[in-house]
Amino acid sequence: MKTRYMLAALASAAVTTLALSTAVQAAELRMAWWGGESRHVATQKAAEACGVKHGHTVKGEFTGFDGYLEKLTTQMAGMTEADIMQVNWPWLPLFSKNGNGFADLRTLKGLDLANWTDADLAAGSMNGVLQGLPVSTTGRVFFFNKTTFDKAGVAIPTNWDEFFTATKAIKEKLGSDHYTFNAVKETAHLVTILAVTQATGKDMVDPATNRVAWTPEELAQGINFLGKLVESGAIRSQKEEAADGNVNLFEKPAWAEGRIAGSYEWDSTYSKYADPLKEGQVLEPVPMLKLAGAVTDGVYRKPSMVFSISKHSKDPEAAAEILNCLLNEPEGIDALGTSRGIPTSKAALERLGDSDKPEVRANKIVMASSGPVVSPFNEHPEIRGAFIDTLEEYAYGQIDADGAAEQIIDTVNDVLAKFD
């Protein structure tokens, strides 16, 4: 009997010790993100569910996108950032150009990195160090108004040669005020990048040298391709767009009425462009159009955002448990849903199931297309600004394609040199 009591006492002591141990391991974490109301609600629900599952408390710090970068910059400088942070992908070089701005996620045991491809992990790395896990992957894809092409009696194009043939037919049958495509400012920039990438197989930035990978001749060919779109009547010129006040495409009556029949947009923005169309019109995502002799699809694919963990966190392993739950475990996956786009995690994709929604089909096109790893420097504000400004000079005849190419390359290399 005495032995039985002793065993019971030891068992009780073991349970008490385990409870105390668990209590010690429980962490109080902060998590920061930007977004709209629906994302806030979904994220708070996911953070609470994951906190309960793993025995941690997660306090949300959320806001809109405006001002988020400035706040994060201040916090990073003062080492007061949240344990888990939503970070815009192009900001990785700003905070971690050498790969030491955030915790190295490969060193944290709680993360199941097998749910991401090597390419996904490379996109979230700086200097070879994993600094952020891609939450969703987005990319530019072609959207065409099937109704407009049907009216003209031509098929939606599958390559650029068919595109220019279709443009001529649409002009002849539907009128000179009809355009096959839209390419203004950022879209003009990315169409130019697409043309050069297809021809060379190279991203703009050479990761080995941190300089522009293209020759002036290669970039000039891409700029001339943009000029061909204008000359063929496929797109309106920058002069015409400026005269109309550079209105967003989805706000234009010509888009809503099908008189502009296509564009090259983020897969995740399908609804933004489909919703304004008048009744009976159908917007279709289609595979990448390729130039003759292209060596790659040239897809511009990137993480829409990443989740990073602070290198100053007092409980990085606990933060990793929560992050893994948010992205890989049922409690987090179910609560977050597609509040940040189509998830990159294989576990999340499998749990959310398949769908034939246009935005899902668009994302599948992006994921299936070939192309080099895209550097976040492509979206550095100074680099994008220099690209767009120079293309406008070209559009107004103030500079030719050769001069524009040299000007862009010189400016971009000057910006990249700051990060050596």
Side-chain angles (χ1 to χ4, degrees), residues 392-407:
E392 287 192 2
E393 290 181 44
Y394 168 75
Y396 279 86
Q398 298 171 350
I399 192 170
D400 63 13
D402 293 331
E406 291 181 0
Q407 181 170 298

Side-chain angles (χ1 to χ4, degrees), residues 38 41 55 57 99 104 112 134-135 184-185 202-203 213 229 231 263 282 290 330-331 347 361 390 401 408:
S38 61
V41 172
T57 302
D104 181 356
D112 182 4
V135 182
V184 184
K185 293 189 177 294
K202 298 180 290 186
D203 179 48
L229 290 175
E231 293 166 6
S263 194
V282 178
K290 292 173 70 173
E331 294 79 3
R361 286 189 278 121
T390 304
I408 289 171

